[in-house]
Amino acid sequence: MADPTIPVTAPGTTGAPVNRGEAAPANKGELFTSFDVDAFEVPSSREEAWRFTPFRRLRGLHDGSAKADGRAVVTVAGLGDGVTVDSVGRDDPRLGAGGVPFDRIAAQAYSSFTEATVITVGREVELGEPVIITLEGPGVGTTAFGHVQIHLEPFARAVIVLDQKGSGTYAENVEFIVDDQAALTVVNVHDWADDAVHVAAHHIKVGRDAVVRHFAISLGGDLVRLSPLVRYDAPGGDVELWGLYFADAGQHLEQRLLVDHNQPNCRSNVVYKGALQGDPSGDRSREAHTVWIGDVLIRPEAEGTDTFELNRNLVLTDNARADSVPNLEIETGEIIGAGHASATGRFDDEQLFYLQARGIPEDQARRLVVRGFFGEVIAKITVPELRDRLAAAIEHELEISGA
């Protein structure tokens, strides 16, 4: 490893170099990025970006001890005219156009994948049906790394479902490149088996007057950590990030996002909602833990920005912990609006009383409250079959909790 007092640079490096031991970057958007895993120090819990993540459960993804000994299987269905799918190697010049790894695990994933999937929706192509990307984990006790790029050329419109399930340990980079005046809706479902560990970096590049609707649905897995990074490539971009997560006893679900407003007259709206149910016996190993970190940066050149972020968490049982940290960094006063809100609590007693007073039994009343809590997010998903599936999954979680 390099001398910790020397700034580190590497081929494929962008942004300010890591200057270990020196002053912190000027703002949260000044991330060191590199395709070279050795350009990054092994992370520690003393770092803000990792302080909530239980390293012992990462199975070596963070320190290089996790070796690829399995293979995740990617299949693509629902292709229409004007859509291409390519399986490519790391030398394909298209890879990295959406963003460069910004932490060690993302760089490890880029250095270790054997085959990337590139999906391109051609110029002015409008898809009437969603493209379904299904990823099956490498299997119990095995590790794999992956890379997916989704590229919408100018004026294209598409709905993409990225459905991830199965077992094993999996780290990946996913690039979303949305060119000028294109519109992408992507729904990423983490429906992993109970043993799975999944760490993902999402790189979202937004063109002039482009529209992105990004949904992150985390239901399964032992540990899931998702890090979406949004950067605008030109003025007029419009991004909404929607999230839904439901943590059971023993699960760690972490959402850590950054929206970097680096262009004028762009918009962002973030809404993430989560529910938690731990083991009421008090066994700390069976605690349900969720983490939501929402960073929004408005740079000096980003005049005319309009942004808001919201995180709400509903605690269903004892032995459940929700960490929620919204951060808003504003470097110009010439904006339309900016704000954030966060709330964590148990059932609203007034809502329960209202429903029970109208003859609804308590258990049914509690379920209605939870369904209503998640309803805003589910209603925004434009794929009916997926809405039904998520509603059924939440109903199953409520049956487990006895709510």
Side-chain angles (χ1 to χ4, degrees):
M1 188 63 66
D3 186 327
T5 64
I6 299 175
V8 174
T9 58
T13 298
T14 64
V18 173
N19 196 354
R20 301 184 181 102
E22 299 294 332
N27 57 51
K28 290 182 179 294
E30 297 302 319
L31 296 171
F32 173 74
T33 59
S34 176
F35 296 107
D36 181 8
V37 64
D38 291 327
F40 295 89
E41 292 279 9
V42 175
S44 76
S45 59
R46 295 186 300 274
E47 299 175 43
E48 170 59 31
W50 296 96
R51 67 188 180 102
F52 291 110
T53 307
F55 289 107
R56 69 185 185 281
R57 295 170 64 177
L58 285 174
R59 300 176 185 164
L61 289 175
H62 65 297
D63 61 12
S65 61
K67 304 301 181 183
D69 55 3
R71 179 175 178 270
V73 178
V74 179
T75 57
V76 183
L79 298 178
D81 294 338
V83 182
T84 61
V85 179
D86 299 311
S87 295
V88 303
R90 197 172 295 103
D91 59 347
D92 190 289
R94 292 172 291 182
L95 299 186
V100 181
F102 48 80
D103 63 37
R104 184 180 172 89
I105 295 181
Q108 182 70 64
Y110 190 87
S111 301
S112 303
F113 76 82
T114 56
E115 190 175 71
T117 301
V118 176
I119 299 172
T120 305
V121 182
R123 184 183 182 95
E124 299 183 357
V125 172
E126 295 192 21
L127 298 181
E129 299 293 332
V131 175
I132 311 295
I133 307 169
T134 303
L135 186 143
E136 188 77 24
V140 176
T142 61
T143 300
F145 300 92
H147 195 104
V148 174
Q149 183 186 94
I150 297 168
H151 181 191
L152 268 64
E153 295 183 346
F155 306 100
R157 303 180 67 88
V159 176
I160 308 286
V161 177
L162 179 54
D163 193 3
Q164 300 179 303
K165 51 191 173 182
S167 295
T169 302
Y170 186 67
E172 65 174 344
N173 291 277
V174 184
E175 301 178 58
F176 303 96
I177 305 170
V178 187
D179 286 346
D180 295 352
Q181 298 191 49
L184 170 67
T185 296
V186 59
V187 186
N188 184 197
V189 182
H190 308 132
D191 197 9
W192 297 103
D194 291 344
D195 71 290
V197 169
H198 178 214
V199 180
H202 285 191
H203 311 269
I204 306 171
K205 183 179 179 182
V206 187
R208 182 181 298 273
D209 298 324
V211 176
V212 176
R213 301 292 180 258
H214 179 281
F215 293 82
I217 313 296
S218 295
L219 300 173
D222 177 69
L223 180 150
V224 175
R225 175 183 158 117
L226 173 65
S227 301
L229 170 58
V230 177
R231 283 205 167 105
Y232 298 86
D233 201 40
D238 183 346
V239 176
E240 293 184 1
L241 302 178
W242 295 84
L244 183 157
Y245 48 89
F246 203 131
D248 284 325
Q251 277 188 294
H252 178 95
L253 303 180
E254 184 166 346
Q255 321 281 339
R256 181 176 288 271
L257 59 95
L258 169 62
V259 181
D260 186 353
H261 280 275
N262 56 341
Q263 296 285 339
N265 303 316
C266 293
R267 173 184 175 271
S268 67
N269 185 57
V270 178
V271 179
Y272 273 64
K273 292 189 174 185
L276 305 86
Q277 51 188 18
D279 185 341
S281 70
D283 181 354
R284 290 300 300 274
S285 68
R286 300 288 293 162
E287 178 186 68
H289 188 194
T290 64
V291 178
W292 182 85
I293 309 296
D295 290 327
V296 175
L297 168 65
I298 305 175
R299 295 178 184 262
E301 60 270 27
E303 297 181 355
T305 291
D306 186 8
T307 181
F308 191 82
E309 59 175 347
L310 169 70
N311 178 230
R312 295 190 185 278
N313 298 289
L314 185 59
V315 179
L316 303 178
T317 68
D318 293 332
N319 203 22
R321 171 186 168 187
D323 289 296
S324 178
V325 185
N327 297 301
L328 182 59
E329 191 171 350
I330 305 174
E331 297 181 337
T332 176
E334 300 298 322
I335 61 174
I336 294 175
H340 59 69
S342 171
T344 299
R346 293 185 178 273
F347 281 104
D348 187 323
D349 290 336
E350 290 186 1
Q351 289 181 332
L352 289 177
F353 176 79
Y354 177 88
L355 293 171
Q356 288 180 264
R358 280 148 182 80
I360 299 174
E362 181 180 359
D363 60 340
Q364 294 183 29
R366 290 168 65 88
R367 293 189 184 201
L368 286 173
V369 171
V370 175
R371 292 185 196 123
F373 175 74
F374 284 130
E376 177 186 12
V377 178
I378 294 176
K380 293 288 183 179
I381 297 174
T382 59
V383 184
E385 297 83 357
L386 195 52
R387 286 201 304 267
D388 294 342
R389 174 182 161 189
L390 295 178
I394 292 171
E395 185 68 25
H396 176 68
E397 297 287 354
L398 294 174
E399 290 175 359
I400 293 174
S401 71

